[in-house]
């Protein structure tokens, strides 16, 4: 899908709704209006709710291979600490904004009050992306797939860095990791996985 854009023919949400979303996401007003323009563009039946087909309609999956998993995870509560949780069948505009808020850099720039929780929520999104919310562990083979996408997407990844990733993963004595173990593994002292960059690349096509 194309990049987010503004369209004067599409009215933004009410001031009350804008304020609510700005407070819950940390987004400035222009970002809320921009996302609303995109949301309305995706809303094929005009009912104010998005289904999976709406999000997938214009994606080139050959260019964004993680997109199917991202779309699946899009329908789970975006701010959750629970690995096992139920998805929603339709996405509201507020939910739409909340998912985007996990991976855009606005929070730290604006001294966002939830900075300390941002990484946890972002990694939970990826954890659910890999488990589909069905269980409270992630398989090592799935983490390796995510690492492969990080390597292929980043121009800064060297052969040595890739060997370091593989070495850390191969040292694990388990094939399944809980969320806390996954969070530690992906942190700065281990894989130092740039989850926000990885997912924002795919969200940029939504």
């Amino acid at each position: 899908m194309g990049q987010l854009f503004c369209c004067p023919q599409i009215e933004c949400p009410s001031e009350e709704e804008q304020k609510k979303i700005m407070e819950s996401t940390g987004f400035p007003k222009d970002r809320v209006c921009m996302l609303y323009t995109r949301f309305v563009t995706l809303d094929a039946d005009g009912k104010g709710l998005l289904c999976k087909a709406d999000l997938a309609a214009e994606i080139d999956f050959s260019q964004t291979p993680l997109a199917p998993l991202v779309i699946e995870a899009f329908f789970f509560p975006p701010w959750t600490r629970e690995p096992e949780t139920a998805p929603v069948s339709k996405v509201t505009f507020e939910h739409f904004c909340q998912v985007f808020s996990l991976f855009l850099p606005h929070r730290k720039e604006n001294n966002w009050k939830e900075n300390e929780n941002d990484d946890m929520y972002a990694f939970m999104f990826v954890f659910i992306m890999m488990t589909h919310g069905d269980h409270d562990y992630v398989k090592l083979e799935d983490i390796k797939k995510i690492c492969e996408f990080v390597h292929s997407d980043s121009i800064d990844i060297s052969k040595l860095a890739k060997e370091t990733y593989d070495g850390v993963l191969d040292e694990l004595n388990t094939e399944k990791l809980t969320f806390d173990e996954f969070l530690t593994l992906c942190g700065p002292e281990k894989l130092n996985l740039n989850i926000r960059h990885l997912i924002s690349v795919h969200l940029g096509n939504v």
Side-chain angles (χ1 to χ4, degrees), residues 39-151:
F39 183 88
V40 171
T41 303
L42 294 171
D43 184 9
D45 59 13
K47 293 183 178 180
L49 297 168
L50 300 182
C51 65
K52 292 178 184 178
D54 292 328
L55 291 178
E58 301 173 26
I59 290 180
D60 182 350
F61 290 100
S62 66
Q63 297 299 315
T64 49
L66 282 182
L69 295 178
V70 172
I71 290 173
E72 288 291 327
F74 215 101
F75 286 78
F76 286 84
W79 296 333
T80 180
R81 297 171 182 266
E82 299 298 327
E84 293 183 273
T85 187
V88 296
S89 59
K90 300 279 187 177
V91 165
T92 64
F93 176 57
E94 184 175 11
H95 183 129
F96 186 77
C97 289
Q98 288 172 350
V99 172
F100 273 91
S101 76
L102 295 177
F103 300 100
L104 296 179
H106 68 286
R107 295 188 177 216
K108 294 188 183 303
E109 294 175 357
N110 295 338
N111 296 315
W112 178 242
K113 61 184 178 181
E114 293 290 346
N115 270 346
E116 63 183 29
N117 294 321
D118 273 3
D119 286 343
M120 188 272 297
Y121 289 135
F123 277 103
M124 180 59 79
F125 180 94
V126 175
F127 191 85
I128 289 175
M129 191 175 87
M130 291 187 285
T131 66
H132 309 291
D134 291 336
H135 39 265
D136 61 358
Y137 62 86
V138 64
K139 295 180 181 178
L140 181 58
E141 62 189 64
D142 293 325
I143 298 176
K144 288 184 176 180
K145 291 177 183 178
I146 294 294
C147 288
E148 290 173 4
F149 284 111
V150 173
H151 295 320

Side-chain angles (χ1 to χ4, degrees), residues 4 8 68 70 132 162 174 204:
L4 298 173
V70 172
H132 309 291
K162 186 179 188 309
T174 180

